[in-house]
Amino acid sequence: MAVPTLGKWSLGACQLGAGGSQRAARSAEARSRFVEGSIVRIFMENFLTYDVCEVRPGPNLNMIVGANGTGKSSIVCAICLGLAGKPSFIGRADKVGLFVKQGCLKGVVEIELSKTPDNIIITREIQVVNNTSAWFINRKPTTLKTVEEQIAALNIQVDNLCQFLPQDKVGEFAKLSKIELLEATEKSIGPPEMYQFHCELKNFREKERELENLCKDKTNSLEKMKQRIERYKQDVERYHERKRHLDLIEMLERKRPWVEYENVRQQHEEVKQRRDQAKEELKNLKEMQSPVTKKIQETEEYFKSLDMKIRDKAAEIKDISQKCKQKQDALEMKDKQIEEIHQALRMKKDEEMDRQRKIHNTHKMIEDWKNELNTMAVSENLQPETDAVNNELKKLQEERARIDSDISDLKAEKMNQERENKRIIDRLGQLNNIMNMKEENLKGRFQDTHSALLWLRKNKDKFKKKVCEPMMLEINVKDNRHAKYVENHISASDMRAFVFESQEDMEMFLVEMRDRQKLRVNAVCAPAASCAESLSSRPIEELHRYGFFSYLRELFDAPHPVMSYLCSQYRVHDVPVGTEKTRNMIERVIQETELKHIYTAEEKYIVKVSTYTNLRLSTNTSLRAAQFLTSSVDTDERRHLENQQQDINNTLKSLDMRLTTLFERQKYLERRDNELRQRKKELLERGNRRRQLESKIGVKYDSLRQLEQDAINLEKESQQANVKIKEINSQKARLVTELMHLIKTCVSLNILKADLVLQSTTVAAEKNRLESEYKAASAQLRAAEQQFRELDDRKRVLTENCKELLKKARQVCKLSPDQHLPKEFQTAFQALPTTLEEIDAFLNEEKTRASCFTGLNASVVEEYHKQTQEIQQLTEYLEEKKNELDSYKQNISQVKERWLNPLKKLIEQINEKFSNFFSSMQCVGEVDLHVENEEEYDKYGIRIRVKFHSSTELHELTPYHQSGGEKSVSTMLYLMALQELNRCPFRVVDEINQGMDPMNERRVFEMVVKTACKESTSQYFFITPKLLQNLTYNDKMTVLFVYNGPFMLEANKWNLKAFCRRRRRLGRMDEQ
């Protein structure tokens, strides 16, 4: 076996050794056996596990052996990365900088490849900082593209699994699809043009499909266009028919305004003639009316003079009538004065009779009072009884004042209590609103739980012991900021659970809810022995230095059963809550406090002790935001308010009772006071009656004397009245004489006025007759003027109409103002109707016919011509594409023949070798070309079918059907079948024998040695962590051993000859 030359090592790095008896240096003869492109030397510096290492493989089979983790696969990585391979293909890392040894900033990989006349050295320097690489060829800087071109020229394909199979990609070979395996095989062992032909065929076929689809689409489009143009042809014919109708309509519309113009012109001539006649008639009427007007003016003046005289006489009559009225008023005034005198006398008589009656009544009253006074006994002594009544009244008043004061005080106190009660009710309402918010939150999130809650509130009497509502309603966090700790500690299912003190009550509740009402509710039972007062394991003061400020239980209030359950189930009495300070020193807290649950400002820690290592393991999670307990009620405040409310209600009841008693006493005292006052009044009246009678009698005597002094002399008053009446009658006689004279004057004036009125009436009649005649003549004149104006206006309108119609007719015919109607129009007009009615009827008929041709316009003709042109273009384009398609089919046929025949021969050779390898292992294996559709060249693939047991059938090699060892054997034998056919310079297979059983591994190894050590085969790298004993080796093999450890010799101190001598000496000692 050949022995590689060793490179330099640094202490602690891996070393390479070789067994055999040959010398370390290769001769020129051995170097000449290298296939062009095979690897002559591999140099690594600061690469993965190596500090500095140089590997010189042999030209045939190279066995790289070493324990797991020593660095065998690092050599494979160096080959891949040194030959421009991508890190992702190796499967170890995605960045090339990760392949540099840890702690170093730069790594180097250098690969020397065999080439005539001089070898080529490719160097790659890898920078960790920016994850870049620098490339060199024969120590000269170059680019990655140049390196890839050089490697491709040597037919090296590190991304082809048929040539380069790293450890992490061994399993992927069996996962290659038939299509991928064919492409990999073509690239690996086929002629250079084979894969190129395959790609051309796929491209040609893709183009062919595209052209076929294109031709099909264009043919369909062409057919549709032909069908569409047939429809357009009919539309074009209809369009021309419609055009003829439209032309006739246009000519009719041109003639119509000329006919209208002629009609209006004739009307204008007729109106002008009638207007001139009306003008002459109007002139004659005006001449006849002038004498009548003059006579009417003279009559009007005479009538006005008579009217003025009548008005003068009327004024004189009015003045005398006014004087008569004054005299009549004076006579009426004198009559009133006489009546007033008589009225005054009658009043004096009534007044005297009334005085006599009052005197009589006063004498009678005095007589009655004297009789009563004579019959009244001597006054008795009523003073003791009056004093007793006064004293009792005084006491009643004092007691009433005291009761009024007490009532006022009690009312003030009641008002204060009611005001305080209202404040408490408002505050309780606010607290109840918070509870309602919590209940609404429960209803929105857990409808079933809310339904159960409503049922519980109506049926609490059915339970033996206390039942608490869902915990999220019962728990009240003292500070809303601490709600998140409670919610993160208590599970969501328990937050909506009902808490029972009796197991029997809970079971009855769950049967009702879950079985009968089909509600999903949770319920828990508080422990029989209360845990609500459980003590924590240590005082919270001991934990203050770690940032803890309270235990969880102190952060909220809850009913006794709920608190007992939480202490028992969640140990809320022993779970501390800390701050950010706790978070900053959490490791120390975990180690020193031995707490199992810890809360910091924003995190929850759970600490467990491993049963194996006895180490403390902690997990932390971020605290969720509170959802249920953010609205909290201060239960102490609520309890205090409810107690206050109860005390106030009791006080109000007591005050109402006291006020009722006082009001009853007040009513009694008021009633007694009225009784005493009535008694006192009666006593006072009994004592004062005699004095009152005597006083009244004296007063009446005084008034009687006054009445007797006021006597009236009726005879004297009557004489005075007669004297006044006689004087007034004399004045009345003078007034009557004056009134008679005025009446005579007024009568004579009225006679004169009547004569003037008769004259005025005669003149007015004459005037009215003349005015009637004038009015009739004026009406005839106005009618004549009106007729003249109407005819004149009609003439002007017709003149304007004629101008407009003539202008319109010229515009319709597109004539200038001084241009005459062309002869062609006159000729065309002669063939058309001559009246407007006939023209309109003909026009409507033609428009109706034209309207039958709907949806047609000039674009139809344009579209018809356009479609015709497009059909011609599409026909030419389709013919061109069909010729192109025929050309592609011819090219496909030629390329297919040049590709498929060599491919079949190649696969037959692979199948022959693959089958022979399997036969030697008493198994069956076949390789064939898998074709689904001969025309689908992208679906061609290589199918591997194997049979490892005589009792089974041949099965296709898949990632799932065969075992791991069977897949490894199949992969290895397929690669060996490619070995002699391979045109690639080297092949790398990393730890493919791991899944094989010993028998298959031995057989495969023998085949590898036999195949890879032939003269004509390319270089082969076989990496394995172990070898079976008593294997068959070949002198052309090179075995590379990889060791590592702190006690390895440096490369320059390694002496192969001394090692061999020592090994032989130890062998002889073993034999002895």
Side-chain angles (χ1 to χ4, degrees), residues 66 238 291 588 710 729 734 759 782 832 839 949 989 1014:
R238 294 173 67 239
R588 178 184 168 193
D710 293 338
N729 286 330
R734 287 193 299 272
Q759 294 179 24
R782 284 194 299 272
L832 297 176
I839 289 174
H949 306 288
V989 179
K1014 292 181 180 180

Side-chain angles (χ1 to χ4, degrees), residues 196-319:
Q196 181 180 353
F197 286 156
H198 191 185
C199 292
E200 287 180 1
L201 277 174
K202 289 190 286 186
N203 292 333
F204 286 158
R205 178 55 186 158
E206 182 66 26
K207 291 287 186 180
E208 183 185 18
R209 276 198 297 268
E210 291 178 1
L211 286 172
E212 287 176 347
N213 293 332
L214 180 62
C215 290
K216 184 178 178 181
D217 293 341
K218 294 301 181 182
T219 302
N220 293 334
S221 299
L222 183 60
E223 186 63 28
K224 291 179 180 177
M225 290 174 70
K226 287 180 178 179
Q227 295 174 2
R228 189 162 54 248
I229 202 169
E230 284 298 322
R231 293 196 300 271
Y232 280 146
K233 187 176 181 181
Q234 298 174 5
D235 291 341
V236 169
E237 292 175 355
R238 294 173 67 239
Y239 172 79
H240 289 305
E241 180 68 20
R242 178 174 178 268
K243 184 74 166 53
R244 286 193 293 274
H245 289 293
L246 292 176
D247 291 342
L248 183 56
I249 289 170
E250 183 180 3
M251 191 57 65
L252 286 168
E253 289 178 343
R254 285 177 175 175
K255 182 176 181 180
R256 191 179 190 285
W258 287 101
V259 174
E260 284 181 333
Y261 165 71
E262 184 61 26
N263 292 340
V264 173
R265 189 186 65 78
Q266 292 176 2
Q267 293 177 14
H268 176 266
E269 292 299 327
E270 293 176 0
V271 170
K272 181 180 179 184
Q273 186 177 359
R274 289 169 57 194
R275 171 184 159 286
D276 293 340
Q277 293 175 357
K279 184 176 181 182
E280 185 65 23
E281 184 179 353
L282 179 63
K283 180 180 178 182
N284 295 332
L285 288 173
K286 286 183 178 179
E287 290 176 354
M288 292 170 61
Q289 196 175 17
S290 180
V292 177
T293 304
K294 183 177 180 182
K295 192 172 183 178
I296 289 172
Q297 289 177 351
E298 292 175 355
T299 305
E300 180 71 24
E301 290 175 0
Y302 181 59
F303 178 78
K304 287 181 180 179
S305 65
L306 289 175
D307 186 61
M308 183 65 68
K309 292 177 181 179
I310 291 171
R311 281 200 294 271
D312 292 341
K313 295 301 178 181
E316 291 179 13
I317 292 169
K318 183 179 179 181
D319 184 47

Side-chain angles (χ1 to χ4, degrees), residues 10 28 86 162 346 349 362 425 509 665 847 856 1034 1067:
S10 64
K86 296 180 180 179
C162 290
R346 285 195 298 270
K349 291 178 179 180
T362 301
I425 289 172
F509 175 77
R665 180 62 179 171
K847 285 184 178 179
L856 299 176
N1034 191 293

Side-chain angles (χ1 to χ4, degrees), residues 704-917:
L704 184 60
R705 282 193 293 274
Q706 185 65 39
L707 287 172
E708 291 175 347
Q709 291 176 3
D710 293 338
I712 298 174
N713 190 349
L714 292 177
E715 185 178 354
K716 183 179 179 180
E717 291 294 331
S718 179
Q719 293 175 355
Q720 291 176 355
N722 289 331
V723 172
K724 291 179 180 178
I725 290 171
K726 186 178 180 181
E727 180 63 28
I728 292 172
N729 286 330
S730 300
Q731 295 174 1
K732 282 178 68 179
R734 287 193 299 272
L735 289 173
V736 169
T737 301
E738 293 174 358
L739 177 60
M740 291 302 294
H741 177 71
L742 289 172
I743 290 173
K744 288 178 181 179
T745 305
C746 184
V747 170
S748 61
L749 289 174
N750 279 319
I751 291 171
L752 292 175
K753 178 183 175 185
D755 184 50
L756 290 174
V757 168
L758 288 174
Q759 294 179 24
S760 174
T761 302
T762 303
V763 173
E766 180 64 16
K767 176 188 170 199
N768 289 337
R769 183 183 66 79
L770 292 173
E771 285 180 348
S772 296
E773 293 176 357
Y774 179 81
K775 186 174 182 182
S778 296
Q780 188 178 1
L781 181 62
R782 284 194 299 272
E785 287 177 346
Q786 179 67 24
Q787 184 182 7
F788 174 76
R789 282 196 298 272
E790 289 176 354
L791 289 172
D792 190 56
D793 293 341
R794 178 66 176 159
K795 174 181 173 295
R796 273 198 309 275
V797 171
L798 289 174
T799 303
E800 293 297 323
N801 287 346
C802 285
K803 292 179 181 178
E804 289 295 327
L805 289 173
L806 180 60
K807 181 179 179 182
K808 179 180 177 182
R810 290 181 178 279
Q811 287 177 350
V812 169
C813 295
K814 299 179 180 178
L815 301 176
S816 61
D818 55 348
Q819 186 178 1
H820 296 289
L821 187 67
K823 290 185 178 181
E824 59 269 20
F825 282 178
Q826 295 177 9
T827 304
F829 287 171
Q830 289 175 358
L832 297 176
T834 56
T835 65
L836 285 176
E837 291 76 10
E838 293 174 345
I839 289 174
D840 288 339
F842 197 13
L843 192 60
N844 290 333
E845 181 181 353
E846 289 301 314
K847 285 184 178 179
T848 303
R849 290 178 179 177
S851 65
C852 295
F853 300 92
T854 56
L856 299 176
N857 50 45
S859 62
V860 174
V861 180
E862 294 177 6
E863 186 66 23
Y864 176 76
H865 294 310
K866 181 181 178 183
Q867 289 288 335
T868 305
Q869 186 178 2
E870 287 181 357
I871 288 174
Q872 183 179 357
Q873 293 175 353
L874 185 58
T875 304
E876 295 173 357
Y877 178 77
L878 186 60
E879 188 65 28
E880 179 184 347
K881 289 301 175 183
K882 285 182 178 179
N883 295 334
E884 188 178 349
L885 178 61
D886 294 338
S887 175
Y888 268 107
K889 288 183 177 179
Q890 186 176 359
N891 290 337
I892 288 173
S893 177
Q894 294 174 358
V895 176
K896 179 180 179 181
E897 184 177 356
R898 297 170 63 187
W899 168 73
L900 189 57
N901 293 335
L903 177 63
K904 288 181 178 179
K905 292 179 182 179
L906 182 64
I907 292 177
E908 287 175 0
Q909 294 174 357
I910 296 172
N911 179 49
E912 181 182 356
K913 294 182 181 297
F914 187 75
S915 299
N916 292 337
F917 288 145

Side-chain angles (χ1 to χ4, degrees), residues 71-159:
K72 305 184 301 301
S73 296
S74 298
I75 300 174
V76 178
C77 296
I79 295 173
C80 179
L81 297 178
L83 296 177
K86 296 180 180 179
S88 59
F89 183 72
I90 303 171
R92 287 197 170 192
D94 57 347
K95 295 180 180 179
V96 70
L98 299 174
F99 288 88
V100 177
K101 186 173 183 179
Q102 191 172 2
C104 300
L105 297 178
K106 183 179 78 170
V108 179
V109 175
E110 188 173 274
I111 308 292
E112 183 177 350
L113 301 175
S114 175
K115 189 177 181 182
T116 305
D118 297 320
N119 291 348
I120 181 173
I121 300 173
I122 298 175
T123 306
R124 182 177 189 174
E125 292 184 358
I126 303 170
Q127 302 291 337
V128 176
V129 176
N130 50 8
N131 197 49
T132 58
S133 299
W135 294 91
F136 302 87
I137 295 180
N138 295 330
R139 307 292 194 279
K140 295 180 180 179
T142 187
T143 62
L144 173 61
K145 184 177 181 181
T146 305
V147 173
E148 290 175 342
E149 291 173 354
Q150 289 282 351
I151 292 171
L154 295 173
N155 200 31
I156 296 173
Q157 305 168 18
V158 293
D159 58 346

Side-chain angles (χ1 to χ4, degrees), residues 304 368 422 475 721-722 927 1000:
K304 287 181 180 179
D368 291 340
K422 184 177 182 304
I475 294 175
N722 289 331
V927 176
N1000 286 335

Side-chain angles (χ1 to χ4, degrees), residues 382-432:
L382 301 176
Q383 191 61 36
E385 188 175 355
T386 302
D387 293 341
V389 171
N390 287 333
N391 291 333
E392 189 172 356
L393 279 173
K394 185 178 180 182
K395 292 178 181 179
L396 281 175
Q397 289 172 355
E398 291 175 355
E399 186 175 358
R400 285 182 67 185
R402 185 172 66 255
I403 289 173
D404 290 342
S405 176
D406 293 344
I407 290 173
S408 177
D409 294 342
L410 289 176
K411 284 184 177 179
E413 184 178 356
K414 182 179 178 181
M415 190 180 298
N416 292 334
Q417 292 293 331
E418 288 175 344
R419 192 181 302 113
E420 181 65 16
N421 191 37
K422 184 177 182 304
R423 183 190 67 79
I424 292 172
I425 289 172
D426 292 342
R427 180 57 182 159
L428 285 173
Q430 294 175 1
L431 299 179
N432 288 332

